Amino acid sequence: MSLLAIKNLTVEYPSRKSTFTAVRDVTLSVERGEILGLVGESGAGKSTIGTAVMGLLDAPGRVAGGEILIDGQDARSIANLRGARVSMIFQDPLTSLNPLYTVAQQLTETIRTHRRMTRAEAHDEAVSLLDQVGIADAETRITQYPHQFSGGMRQRVVIALALCSQPDLIIADEPTTALDVSVQAQILDLIRDLAVSRGVGVILVTHDMGVIAQTADRVAVMYHGALVEEGKTAQIIHDPQHPYTQSLLAAVPRGERKLDRFPSLTYQPDGAPAPQEMTLTDDWLRSKGKDENQGTGPLVQVRGLGMRFLTRNAILPKNRSYIDAVKDLNFDINRGEVLGLVGESGSGKSTVARMIAGIHAPDTGSITFDGQDMAKIASSHERQALRRQIQMIFQDPYSSLNPRMRVRDIVAEPIHHNRLSETASETSRIVGDLLEVVGLGAAAGAKFPHEFSGGQRQRISIARALATRPRFLICDEPTSALDVSIQAQILNLLKDLRDALDLTILFISHDLPVVRQMCDRVAVMRNGQLCELAETEALFEAPRDPYTRELISLMPSL
Amino acid sequence: MIRFLIERLFQAAVVLIVVALLAFVMFRFAGDPVAQMVSLDTTAEDRAALREAMGLNNSLPVQFGQFVLRAVQGDFGLSYQMGQPVATLLAERLPASIELSLVAFGIALIVGIPMGVYSGLYPESWLSRAFLILSLAGISLPTFFIGIMLILIFGVELNLFPTFGRGETVDLGWWTTGLLTGSGWHSIILPACTLGLFQMTFIMRLVRAEILDVMRTDYIKFARARGIAKGRINYGHALKNTLVPVLTIAGLQLGSIIAFGIVTESVFQWPGIGLLFIQAISTVDIPVMSTYLLLVALIFVSINLIVDLLYLLVDPRLRVRSR
Amino acid sequence: MPNIRLSSVFLASALALSPAASGAETLRFASQGDIGSMDPYVVEEVFTSGFLGNIYEGLVRRAPDLSIQPALAESWELLSPTHWRFHLRKDVTFHDGTPFNADDVIYSADRVRAGASDFKNRLPSDAKVVAVDDYTVDFITTEPNPILHYTWANWYIMNRDWAEANGVGDADKAASEESYATLHENGTGPFQLVSRAPGVKTTLSRYDGWWGEGSVPTNVTEVEYTPVPNAATRVAALLSGQLDVVFPVPVQDIARVEAAPSGKIEAGPEVRTMYLTMNQWRDTLPGSGLEGKNPLKDRRVREAMYRAIDLETIHARILRGRATPAALMVAPGVNGYSDSFKRYEYDPDRSKELLAEAGYPDGFTFTFQCSNNMYVNDEAICLAVSNMLAKVGIDAKANVQAKAQYLEAILSPNMDFGLAMLGTTPASLDSHIALYSLHMCPRADENSAVWAPDDLAKIVAGKSNFAGYCNPEIDRLANEILIETDEDKRNALINEAWTITTDDVAYIPLHQSWGAWGVREGVGVEVRADNIFDWRYVTVAE
Amino acid sequence: MNPERSPNLIMRLLDSDAGYKFRSSPVTVVAGLVFVLMIGAALLAPVIAPFDPFDKGSIDLMNSLLPPAWNSGGDPAFLLGTDNQGRDLFSTILYGTRTSVFVGAVSVSLAVVAGLFLGLLAGYFGGLVDAIIMRIVDIQMTFPAIMVALLIDGVTRSFLSRDQHDELAVFVIILAMALSIWPQVARTVRASAMVEKSREYVMAAQVIGRGPWLIMARHILPNVMGPVLVIATINLGVAILGEATLSFLGLGIPAGEPSLGTLIRIGNDFIFSGERWMLIYPGLTLALLVLSVNLLGDWLRDVLDPKSR
């Protein structure tokens, strides 16, 4: 008898106009000691299955059909299901812990809820659990509050909490998505260990095929609420049967070799047209302004760049304390190249991007664009002319577009600001062309951003960035919030644009496979400093810096 | 921690000085105090002499200078109407106002928090909806109207409660309290309910909103997923997390209770500083008005400070940051 | 609202159980304001003076019928028209036990005329006060004054030793130090101060050593006074049995109190006369926009205004019959009052004719200053008058303000009004003071202009005559009245003066409103026309 | 939301999420109706009201203190009876509502403009600008509206003639209420502006080279309007109550120009004398008006609250 057996599960979210079916007729099972990977893109319904098993569906969601059996017993009839039999790990360790209680309080509370123990016994048990999930010096750390732990440590605490009740089944909902790769590997190892040593069944919900490949025994692939394919991990990864699985795997950037383009294999079950590939015929985008001087040498030169943030303010300067976000950074970006900038969160890569884009003023050092030191341009007119040539694409497509503006106004804003068009009709023609170029179609201009998906929004961002006819584009993690298939499209679009418009690109990412696909050279940052800068293939094949080596070794692969 | 305190004290001092200046300037325009102080038959000459003697003819900066100079020494002058030191007058009245405010605040908390918690936990229940609409009705009636109605119904028609005043008080030397006598408690109920109603509504709605927020957080979901008992989640995890914002805003409300107190005190003839202030307005008793305003500013500033300190106590994240 | 009949039953049963009913000898009363000071020379204001009259005493006092009675002086005689002799009572002690003698009178006579005393006009500044012996005092004035002692009922005698021992100086309103006399007293009256929290509560007890013990009906041993400015709260407290006496009861609540089994109303006409004052001296009528013109200078216009006001309806509707319409600027009970004067009839048609004759057939506009917390239903009367004037085409723009702002607008030097409502009580209860301060020309001498800005300090007579009414004939008569000692002749002169001012329409007298005292059943009070509450006549049933 | 378009704007509004939340709550629908009715009646007061309370010549003291028409002694000409001056209470309440709504609407508008401006400045620039503005907010919060009213009243008194001053009484109240409300708006706007400022669309505008003023006006302003709208609605109720309270304390609108507050103040004098209609009807009108505003504010909060989406 399976530990968990889900039979013909259907979950619906009724709304006043229609009923949204989040999970449709899914049948699954998990055995003790087995890790089932549940994979799919956003909205596929994979998380819903987890919450349905827990009986924690958000209102107005409801199980409309099928059954969930734990050891053959209907989950809904098990009194102490939650915690005792099934436990859960959430995505974001920063928000999963109650900030007002110490770790010890949260652990002992949970232990004593499920097991007859005295306070002291529970405390000892809690310490041993923390120890088991790999927290050093558990005896002292247990008295601390969650905010005193780092992200990875917190996720270990979360896992310890999930283990308190000695559950048979753990549902891990994107447990490593919010973590850096190095931490991710450790957490995945921990989960792996748990399954093996304790015989716990695990459902690992994730969108990341790399994670699945590394951890899961079996994989279930979901698409639009339905299960499309299920099988052993190796079989799914190397020999997928369903066209959706095939296209999904094709879109995953490979860390081990460089491709020219992402395969444009896109699964469209309902016959909706795939985003068109770009046809760049428009001459406005290609025409260069008269003011652009075509010099030689690197397009961007960064010298001694530094920036520090105030961490404690004080009236006397000597009492203030700072943290160096970026320290003494030197590098060049050559004309026409794509320079990758990689590093873990907090390494200072976004700060560098923002300084080059002119959002932050550097504390030390200089940035030279096309031979001119940006800080030394006195005339605001000239500075604007220079700035026009530098544009940026942001990470979060949901916050990088003003929700109160129509798309056409968003795209037209840089045109107006730089007076690149004489008349309103010319502007609207240019905007229409730009939207065509990014594959949205001119009609999209009349809509508001919220009417678009994440990938489409990122296309709008690109259209806006192109509207000034820039020569230099800064892409700050442009695809990290997107599903892999969408990521592939956006990355292809960026590649095409680069080729068509002779763009120079600074490409910032924490995702090494993506960087390998996109960049000509790669710079690795750590704690605000540059570790290594090399040609992409050289760096991936023979990293010199130990940190770079570590990063590459941790890179999940299929 | 100490640096934080010094910074806040400095800001408080700036606020107080500006309030002093405004208080001072504004009341120069509130009317002619002299007309109030003399009989109708007093000659214009005598009135002018009195005005001169009171220093009302000096230039504003000179008057302000004298005012501040004396104020920092704790001398706020004599009440024009009562001939007594203003500081003494206010000190005598302050216990009444503070007791009324605290009892009102207590009622607001005791009734408001459970109502808020309930309607936050069960937002769809009919009782929550009723709470919500009732609470809106509570803030849709002007305080004075509620006071009058309570007097009419419970004081006059049913004769259950006294209609004005503080009842018997006990003098502890530095504090006169009505909370040690039966009649004192009997007297405080109607005005405290009147004053507390608005705050109760406010706190209820605030708690409700915060609970709704907290119940959506991951750590509550996680606690449920761990099988923690419902009561423990609701009253341990959720309520404790709502306390931080509730404490801040409720603390600031305590300040506004004093402001709202003016109306309640005047309707119930509650002998507190608000009533003193209203009487001072009608008699253009400038020293009383200015000092009252300073006192209110001081109370506001102190409450702000106390709230910030409490905040540190409740929220461990802030405790670390401010070290 | 729940109905009142039912609740009266509640009230009655509740009262029977209420502990308040057993505190029989305590008088708990409330009025709208607090006493200004315990110092009897600082504020001349009816309530304060009346209150202090139970603690302090003057040489004379007024009986409930307002007749003059001996008090600290047993008797007096006029040795010559300018020489008065007062024989003092011998068995009197102050509350601290010090015996009372002539030196205290001399001290009080000095202090009442010094500093910022509000009672300076009790004694001419050049009058000499001489102690003949310990119990005889002479007052020597430069001019004859047959009514010298008429205003002395609220000139209270203070104790020199006590004052000097406690550093009580002259009355000083601009003082920066608190005077000992502000919170403490040492009078000779039947009640002494126990505790005082200004604006909150003042308690007093009977003074055992009072000389008049047994001569008055009171059985009150304790008094608790609470100022309750809000009229509704005051009435509610009476109805709920928390208070024994409240004053004033708004006229519209009189019926309610009377209907309650626990309450009753003691009311009678006040000696204060309410009147409208018309600005007849400004060259431009304030608020009229008529540059250089003032219609109110024209007697016909003033009569037109008089006739446009339907006082009977105001009387019936706003004052609910609790007022006495007045034709004169003094009330019955004031010396010189005569009921032979009649009001100008209410006649709006005649008003319009008079306005047309005066050249204002379409009326005119001006500012009407009104108070809203000084007199009985002052705001309502003001608005009613304004509405009535509108019916004959006069647009009196009512500006209703609280006392502080109102007085600032009305009093000199501003006098910024076209029309205003005021009340007047002659302190001496004699017509002369009304003629002197309200009707004599407010000017420095015969040749100067009325209310000339430079002369304000020199104006002595007519100092409350903000209307600027000026008739030299009145000045002459008033001066004669002052020194005339023959009572019949004097009264004839007064009558002549009133005839002239009435013909001139100097003012529009309105009415004497009734002071209504709300009294708990079982409490006896004597209501006086001057609204002074004399506790010596209060009895509280066991 | 709803991309397809139906021809009728009202149908579309009712069909939107906001419209649905509106329709599905009977309390909100009633509140909306009451509010529209009251505002309409107030705006149309000169047309609807049988009498003009400003026409002093038409007011007859003989008609004073009449009870509502359905009571014995009532006069059908005076639906809700008359006040102590003989003014028709129904007409006076209509005009009074007009004054109250006017005071509320104008003062809230002023407060919103000022609060938006200063809140945006504080939230966007932070640092010293923020510190100064927030201290001003602190100071303002220590002044109850009563004191602000006194201050403005005094200042206007000092440089205006008495007649002008009286005519400006309404504006004194408006200013006083606006001054006591703006800090709340400023705080809300500041908090929202700080959140919006850190969003990437603001950075995108900075990359384009947009200056701070344009960014504030074009990008941040539209995005902080949601909470401002909610605050404004709730404070509309507060302002109306504030006017009533000030007028009740005698610091507000003169009696000749009826507002709901002055009407209640006058009615309060008759609480024991049996003529309670003078208190009850203006009080009821005020309570209904503010209640409906508050209920609509609640609905608006529901609709605009991003968390409930």
Side-chain angles (χ1 to χ4, degrees), chain C residues 77-114:
Chain C
E77 58 210 314
L78 205 51
L79 301 179
S80 83
T82 59
H83 190 169
W84 295 67
R85 170 158 293 175
F86 283 78
H87 303 284
L88 307 182
R89 202 174 289 277
K90 295 197 177 66
D91 51 352
V92 178
T93 53
F94 287 97
H95 293 158
D96 66 355
T98 324
F100 156 76
N101 62 30
D103 189 41
D104 296 314
V105 177
I106 290 168
Y107 170 74
S108 300
D110 290 342
R111 188 169 186 269
V112 82
R113 287 180 289 177

Side-chain angles (χ1 to χ4, degrees), chain A residues 159-200:
Chain A
I159 292 171
L161 273 167
L163 292 176
C164 279
S165 52
Q166 300 176 310
D168 301 324
L169 177 69
I170 291 179
I171 298 166
D173 191 352
E174 307 266 11
T176 57
T177 308
L179 304 173
D180 280 326
V181 273
S182 52
V183 186
Q184 165 171 323
Q186 296 163 13
I187 297 292
L188 291 177
D189 282 350
L190 181 59
I191 292 175
R192 187 73 257 176
D193 281 356
L194 286 175
V196 173
S197 63
R198 295 188 167 222
V200 177

Side-chain angles (χ1 to χ4, degrees), chain C residues 180-199:
Chain C
Y180 187 74
T182 304
L183 272 191
H184 304 87
E185 56 85 13
N186 191 26
T188 58
F191 291 90
Q192 58 185 353
L193 185 68
V194 174
S195 72
R196 168 154 168 76

Side-chain angles (χ1 to χ4, degrees), chain B residues 11 18 22 26 29 133 136-137 139-142 144 148 157 205 213 216 263 277 281 292-293 296 300, chain D residues 27 135 139 141-143 147 150-151 154 158 241 245 248 264 268 271 276 286-287 291 294-295 298 307:
Chain B
Q11 289 183 356
V18 177
L22 285 172
M26 71 188 269
F29 299 113
I133 291 169
L136 272 184
I139 54 169
S140 300
L141 290 165
F144 64 88
I148 293 167
E157 301 293 331
R205 299 178 71 84
D213 259 14
R216 280 192 281 252
V263 175
F277 176 69
I281 288 178
Y292 169 82
L293 203 54
V296 170
F300 258 93
Chain D
V27 176
R135 289 297 83 72
I139 292 165
M141 305 265 279
T142 66
F143 286 79
M147 274 180 262
L150 267 181
L151 166 67
S158 70
L241 286 184
T245 304
F248 174 76
I264 292 173
N268 186 39
I271 175 173
R276 290 186 185 167
L286 179 64
L291 182 61
N294 282 338
L295 284 168
D298 247 26
K307 289 173 209 142

Side-chain angles (χ1 to χ4, degrees), chain C residues 1-2 4 230-233 235-236 239 250 252-253 256 286-287 310 313-314 317-318 320 367 369 372 379-381 383-384 386-388 390-391 395-401 405 408-409 414 416, chain D residues 53 55-66 82 84-87 150 153 157 161-163 165-167 248 250-251 254-256 262 265-266 268-276 278 280:
Chain C
M1 282 302 103
I4 295 172
N230 186 309
T233 311
V235 173
L239 293 178
Q252 59 270 18
D253 295 342
R256 173 73 174 89
D310 180 3
T313 306
I314 292 180
R317 293 291 173 141
I318 296 177
R320 305 195 184 206
T367 306
Q369 301 284 11
N372 59 11
E379 179 176 353
I381 295 169
L383 294 176
S386 171
N387 293 341
M388 287 167 176
K391 290 197 172 56
D395 181 12
K397 290 180 294 181
N399 182 19
V400 185
Q401 289 174 299
Q405 289 79 31
E408 192 188 2
N414 292 330
D416 189 6
Chain D
D55 178 11
K56 291 189 285 189
S58 72
I59 301 166
D60 196 336
L61 192 55
M62 289 303 287
N63 292 330
S64 65
L65 301 176
L66 290 173
T82 58
N84 60 336
Q85 292 295 322
R87 292 187 296 193
L150 267 181
D153 189 56
R157 196 190 294 280
S161 82
R162 270 169 239 285
D163 297 333
H165 172 264
D166 199 35
E167 279 157 22
F248 174 76
L251 298 164
T262 42
R265 174 171 69 82
I266 295 168
N268 186 39
D269 291 341
F270 297 86
I271 175 173
F272 293 115
S273 60
E275 289 104 359
R276 290 186 185 167
M278 288 166 58
I280 301 298

